[in-house]
Amino acid sequence: MRLYCNYAGENGIASLKVEHLDGDEWKNLELDTMTPGFLIFTYAVFTCQHMFLRANANERNLQLATSNGRIMIDAATDWKIEKLHVAFDVTLKSGTPTADDNEYITERMQQCPVSKNLGEIPDTQTELLFASSSLIRMNEADSAAEH
């Protein structure tokens, strides 16, 4: 599953797009009464960690511009989760994160209520990568100047 988010205000969501892999094709996630339970479960884990990312970044005075997130959950044939990998690439509107900020936010994301109730998972990973929007604009300008 993956998400694309734009933020407004104090890390509120301005727009959000969530997609899931269906075979070889990415499709928009549309929750309804026919959505498979494991897909809803995966989204619950993902959105909980996303909420904790937004809230704790705000607590650390880091204002988000955009994020791209990914979640991978592998389960055994009995549906017991064996792997949980979550990653967010975040573009900042303002603020300069320290290593301590990154560690704090990542730890807090892992403490969201849904994740906290998953039990022991043999393979877990949470990644958070920050970039400033000015750095990205500068890199885009450099790239355009080369062509």
Side-chain angles (χ1 to χ4, degrees):
M1 189 173 287
R2 63 187 184 187
L3 71 74
Y4 307 96
C5 191
N6 292 302
Y7 303 96
E10 294 182 342
N11 296 337
I13 294 176
S15 67
L16 176 67
K17 179 179 182 176
V18 180
E19 298 175 318
H20 67 97
L21 195 57
D22 186 5
D24 293 333
E25 184 181 349
W26 287 100
K27 294 186 176 179
N28 286 331
L29 179 64
E30 296 180 21
L31 298 175
D32 60 34
T33 57
M34 298 303 292
T35 305
F38 199 76
L39 195 56
I40 294 170
F41 170 79
T42 302
Y43 180 67
V45 175
F46 203 19
T47 195
C48 188
Q49 291 212 6
H50 182 227
M51 184 198 68
F52 272 61
L53 160 63
R54 294 183 300 113
N56 288 284
N58 194 56
E59 184 180 303
R60 293 292 179 120
N61 296 315
L62 301 171
Q63 297 305 302
L64 312 179
T66 64
S67 70
N68 295 317
R70 302 167 301 287
I71 186 170
M72 165 87 72
I73 295 180
D74 285 346
T77 55
D78 65 355
W79 294 104
K80 182 151 176 64
I81 297 173
E82 297 178 333
K83 177 167 89 173
L84 171 62
H85 290 190
V86 178
F88 283 93
D89 297 325
V90 177
T91 304
L92 291 172
K93 192 180 325 177
S94 66
T96 305
T98 64
D100 182 60
D101 291 330
N102 195 310
E103 184 178 330
Y104 175 81
I105 295 167
T106 301
E107 285 177 10
R108 294 292 298 149
M109 288 168 58
Q110 295 167 345
Q111 299 301 313
C112 84
V114 178
S115 298
K116 194 71 176 159
N117 282 286
L118 294 177
E120 273 305 306
I121 300 172
D123 182 5
T124 62
Q125 184 176 333
T126 304
E127 295 180 2
L128 185 54
L129 178 64
F130 287 106
S132 71
S133 56
S134 60
L135 177 63
I136 290 171
R137 282 193 299 270
M138 185 171 54
N139 288 341
E140 289 171 351
D142 291 345
S143 179
E146 291 174 2
H147 299 308

